[in-house]
Amino acid sequence: MAVSSGCGVVRGFLGVLNQAFPLHTARSVTDMEAALQLVRNVVPPLAAWKHKGQAGRIGVVGGCPEYTGAPYFAAISALKVGADLSHVFTTQDAAPVIKSYSPELIVHPVLDSPSAVQDVEKWLPRLHALVVGPGLGRDDVLLENVKGILEASKTRGIPIVIDADGLWLVAQQPALIQGYQKAVLTPNHVEFSRLAEAVLGDPLDGRDRYRSVQRLSQALGNVTVVQKGEQDVISDGGQALTCSREGSSRRCGGQGDLLSGSLSVLVHWALLAGPEKTNGSSPLLVAAFGACALTRQCARQAFQKHGRATTATDMIRELGPAFSRLFETSAGADGGVAPTGELRL
Ligand SMILES: NC(=O)C1=CN([C@@H]2O[C@H](COP(=O)(O)OP(=O)(O)OC[C@H]3O[C@@H](n4cnc5c(N)ncnc54)[C@H](O)[C@@H]3O)[C@@H](O)[C@H]2O)[C@@H](O)CC1
Ligand SMILES: Nc1ncnc2c1ncn2[C@@H]1O[C@H](COP(=O)(O)OP(=O)(O)OP(=O)(O)O)[C@@H](O)[C@H]1O
Ligand SMILES: [Mg+2]
């Protein structure tokens, strides 16, 4: 049986997904479908009785004069996945630029103010999840403010996705998120190596990515880690899984920002749904798997239309159709299980 789409390789994920499976087997397609089904379980239904905000109020902490695209990509992705409100906390200079990209974002020009921590803290009771780091840069004043925002968010138990320069900060001060089990780190290859050196004291062991990701997660007190790459490897220190669905070979900037913004919404939904909806698996692992699958599906669909010209903006346009395809159809996406129990390829 030929498998045209990428398949999930899962280790210790659920009762049914408890081993590493070879790629391109019927079994791995079934595992992939099982993992996607868990994501579907946590997606809240759209209903007429719901009020604005219930599907998610997300905050993105990032952006600086050099990088205005990254926080925009993360914040707009959160909205397109289904959050109702998306805030960006950024610097004074970056704010009007980010506002000009989209009237849908609520943009606060506070991140380089002396009262940055208090300014953001005022909003924390109204936020369900934060993304910290896209386009933040490495200015010491900003990083110090973000440190205060992280501390305040942890005190309130807010789920935090840490990406990009937020990971730079964590590599300098791992104690900042040590043991905070509502944190998800989303390093790319270089960010992962930096974290591994800082936290484990040794560079990336490319031979066993599962083990490296698992070890980093354990050393950080079981914080969930998503190592992005040709395959995305996800672990909470106990379980580990990969997402290797077909994406694209375009490596344009902004794809990680799309992932972190999407993930923040899925994390909120998964925590709200609770472990009974995720079959006892960590809600954060399920959310991370969902965000990786979704990002790769967007890449695949955008690449089919735009080929080499594909950019992050093209991928963001695919978020709605990709989400429906993966999470809103009864048989799922390519490789889903047909009602007869046969694998549909
Ligand atoms: N339009 C924008 O505003 C964008 C801004 N971005 C921001 O740019 C800042 C720096 O992010 P970077 O990701 O560049 O991080 P780094 O500044 O740590 O740079 C990593 C470098 O490693 C290279 N690299 C990536 N993957 C590699 C691999 N597998 N092997 C070897 N080298 C590899 C990259 O080309 C990059 O030059 C962050 O704040 C980020 O959020 C990015 O998110 C991209 C889009
Ligand atoms: N070689 C690859 N093949 C297929 N997909 C990949 C590959 N490398 C990364 N991806 C996918 O691209 C997405 C973003 O990963 P990437 O490593 O580009 O993040 P990033 O460097 O943080 O991006 P950004 O430019 O937004 O900062 C992830 O969903 C990942 O699965
Ligand atoms: Mg990145």
Side-chain angles (χ1 to χ4, degrees):
M1 183 176 294
V3 178
S4 59
S5 64
C7 307
V9 179
V10 184
R11 199 185 265 182
F13 185 50
L14 306 174
V16 289
L17 304 176
N18 55 8
Q19 291 170 48
F21 294 104
L23 287 174
H24 306 300
T25 64
R27 178 66 189 272
S28 64
V29 175
T30 320
D31 298 334
M32 177 75 167
E33 176 56 26
L36 288 174
Q37 186 54 49
L38 294 187
V39 184
R40 287 180 203 126
N41 290 350
V42 307
V43 174
L46 296 169
W49 53 265
K50 289 193 173 171
H51 65 73
K52 181 179 69 178
Q54 266 184 303
R57 296 184 292 265
I58 303 300
V60 175
V61 178
C64 65
E66 289 87 354
Y67 305 128
T68 53
Y72 162 77
F73 291 143
I76 200 78
S77 297
L79 279 181
K80 297 277 180 192
V81 164
D84 290 333
L85 295 165
S86 191
H87 295 252
V88 179
F89 300 93
T90 191
T91 62
Q92 185 116 39
D93 284 355
V97 181
I98 298 169
K99 275 181 205 278
S100 75
Y101 297 151
S102 168
E104 281 146 331
L105 303 180
I106 302 162
V107 186
H108 307 263
V110 296
L111 210 52
D112 47 355
S113 141
S115 57
V117 179
Q118 297 91 303
D119 291 344
V120 177
E121 212 171 357
K122 278 193 302 218
W123 285 92
L124 292 182
R126 293 181 238 179
L127 297 179
H128 294 120
L130 278 185
V131 183
V132 174
L136 178 63
R138 295 179 192 163
D139 178 271
D140 284 341
V141 172
L142 291 189
L143 293 178
E144 198 53 35
N145 288 341
V146 169
K147 200 175 136 187
I149 293 165
L150 278 175
E151 297 289 10
S153 308
K154 282 193 313 184
T155 305
R156 292 187 167 273
I158 295 175
I160 312 172
V161 176
I162 305 187
D163 189 30
D165 301 309
L167 297 170
W168 168 267
L169 178 61
V170 169
Q172 313 304 307
Q173 299 179 51
L176 268 176
I177 49 102
Q178 182 74 37
Y180 187 59
Q181 302 206 343
K182 287 187 180 173
V184 186
L185 311 187
T186 55
N188 62 22
H189 178 83
V190 175
E191 291 157 348
F192 186 87
S193 301
R194 202 181 283 132
L195 280 169
E197 289 242 26
V199 176
L200 301 172
D202 50 51
L204 176 69
D205 177 2
R207 288 163 307 170
D208 191 348
R209 288 180 61 208
Y210 274 116
R211 187 73 196 116
S212 299
V213 176
Q214 210 166 25
R215 276 183 63 217
L216 179 65
S217 170
Q218 285 166 359
L220 287 169
N222 296 92
V223 160
T224 300
V225 177
V226 180
Q227 188 198 33
K228 299 173 292 190
E230 191 174 348
Q231 298 185 349
D232 299 317
V233 180
I234 307 164
S235 180
D236 63 355
Q239 299 178 319
L241 63 145
T242 66
C243 179
S244 54
R245 275 190 80 78
E246 185 179 330
S248 91
S249 295
R250 266 293 272 151
R251 300 270 60 81
C252 58
Q255 303 188 46
D257 305 318
L258 187 157
L259 191 151
S260 62
S262 307
L263 176 56
S264 64
V265 185
L266 288 168
V267 163
H268 166 54
W269 290 348
L271 286 169
L272 206 61
E276 59 285 358
K277 290 281 176 118
T278 57
N279 251 2
S281 278
S282 150
L284 299 193
L285 279 187
V286 171
F289 183 86
C292 291
L294 182 62
T295 306
R296 298 170 82 99
Q297 182 70 25
C298 288
R300 180 183 179 183
Q301 292 179 194
F303 190 78
Q304 280 165 358
K305 292 183 186 164
H306 306 284
R308 200 176 277 276
T310 302
T311 62
T313 302
D314 301 315
M315 286 175 57
I316 286 165
R317 281 199 197 100
E318 298 299 327
L319 267 167
F323 189 97
S324 300
R325 195 176 170 102
L326 290 179
F327 306 130
E328 288 178 326
T329 58
S330 56
D334 305 10
V337 180
T340 57
E342 289 170 12
L343 295 168
R344 184 184 296 168
L345 303 174

